[in-house]
Every structure is written in C-alpha cells, then in structure tokens.
Amino acid sequence: MEEKPRSLIRVLVPVVVLAAAAGVGLAFLVAALVRPPDLPVDTNPAPLDGHTVCAGVMVSFTTDEEMRQVAGTFHDDPKARRVFVQTKAEAYTKFKEVFKDQKELLQLTSPDALPASVSLIAVPGTDLKAWAQELHARFPHADRVTVTDLNATIDQLKPTAPPPRCPREGEY
C-alpha cells in the first residue's frame, strides 16, 4: 500500500511544477502583449510652436545663442526623448497670443523680457525632478530649470473638474 502514495507523488509533483511554469510563462506573455510600445526618440531640436508639453523639463536662458548651444547637447542624453526650442521672439509672439485681451500687460512687456528655452520630454520612467536637478548642475548658467508635470499637479490639487490627463508621450 505504500507504493501507491509514492507513485502518486511522482506524478503529482511534476504536474504541479509544469502547471506553475505554464502559468508563469502565460503571465509573461500577457505582460509583453499589454506593455505599451516604446515611444520614438527624436532629439533633434524642433520648434516648440504647435506643441504643448504637459510632462517635461524646461531650461530657460537669457539669450537665443545660449539656448541653441544647449539644445544641441541632448543627442546623447539617454533621458531625452524629444527636444523643443523657443527663441525669445517666439516666446514673445506666444505671450501676445495668450494675453491679447490684456492690453496693459502687453504694453508693460517687451520682447526681451521673455527667455529663450529648451523644453525636454523625457523617456518614460524618468524622474523629472531628479533630471531637472541634474540639468541645473549641468547648465549652471541657465536662468531657470522648471519641471512641468500636469498629472502630478492634478493628483495633488484634486480639482472637481480635472483637465484631460497628460498622455504617456508627454505632450498633447
């Protein structure tokens, strides 16, 4: 009678191990199918006009030349996915569009008052705050390094009518 339990164990243990392995394999297959595709990387500086960055880092400079020099350094940055540039003149044009109904504000602002900037969209999974600190150390002559993270702001403020969430791409 002792023979039957041993033969049952010899059959049952491999069946359970095989079932567990199949379950793990199936889980990896489902995860691979559900995982979003990698986003394309294009670190060639492009004009910001027409893009709305909702998750990224902006580095501001006093002059267009400083901005252009820095914009070209992101080709090899593994955290950079997209690089957008905005000259002082382009920033002023955008400012005039946004505040067109506030004549007094427009009269008080000159084209030279607005900075030139490099707006960066990171590859998914990048800690924007940590990257901003790295960029601040890397470009100490920058006027300002600012993190934009719409989803974090929405989560923190919990508005009753939240705007659309920022997509994984980091821009609308």
Side-chain angles (χ1 to χ4, degrees), residues 130-142 145:
W131 194 29
Q133 290 173 343
E134 289 174 28
L135 294 174
H136 184 68
R138 185 170 153 191
F139 305 112
H141 62 284
V145 178

Side-chain angles (χ1 to χ4, degrees), residues 104-129:
E104 193 173 305
L105 181 60
L106 292 174
Q107 290 174 347
L108 295 172
T109 307
S110 69
D112 198 46
L114 299 170
S117 63
V118 177
S119 294
L120 303 159
I121 296 179
V123 296
T126 301
D127 180 338
L128 294 178
K129 288 182 183 179

Side-chain angles (χ1 to χ4, degrees), residues 2 6 31-32 37 39 42 54-55 59 68 87 89-90 95-96 103 106 115 117 126 138-139 144 154 156 165 167:
E2 288 185 34
R6 280 191 174 171
L39 295 170
D42 181 6
C54 55
V59 186
R68 285 188 186 99
T87 64
E90 292 165 341
F95 180 85
K96 289 190 302 184
K103 303 291 183 202
L106 292 174
S117 63
T126 301
R138 185 170 153 191
F139 305 112
R144 187 176 208 181
I154 291 170
Q156 183 179 15
R165 306 261 322 156

Side-chain angles (χ1 to χ4, degrees), residues 9-27:
I9 289 174
R10 285 183 185 173
V11 172
L12 192 58
V13 169
V15 168
V16 170
V17 170
L18 185 61
V24 169
L26 182 62

Side-chain angles (χ1 to χ4, degrees), residues 25-62:
L26 182 62
F28 277 109
L29 177 66
V30 169
L33 293 175
V34 172
R35 186 179 145 236
D38 290 334
L39 295 170
V41 174
D42 181 6
T43 55
N44 292 316
L48 180 62
D49 191 34
H51 298 272
T52 302
V53 176
C54 55
V57 177
M58 184 176 79
V59 186
S60 302
F61 298 93
T62 304

Side-chain angles (χ1 to χ4, degrees), residues 54-55 149-159 162-172:
C54 55
D149 189 346
L150 179 65
N151 290 345
T153 302
I154 291 170
D155 293 342
Q156 183 179 15
L157 297 176
K158 297 179 175 96
R165 306 261 322 156
C166 180
R168 181 172 173 258
E169 293 81 7
E171 65 177 304
Y172 291 116

Side-chain angles (χ1 to χ4, degrees), residues 1-7:
M1 293 216 170
E2 288 185 34
E3 295 285 329
K4 284 187 178 178
R6 280 191 174 171
S7 62

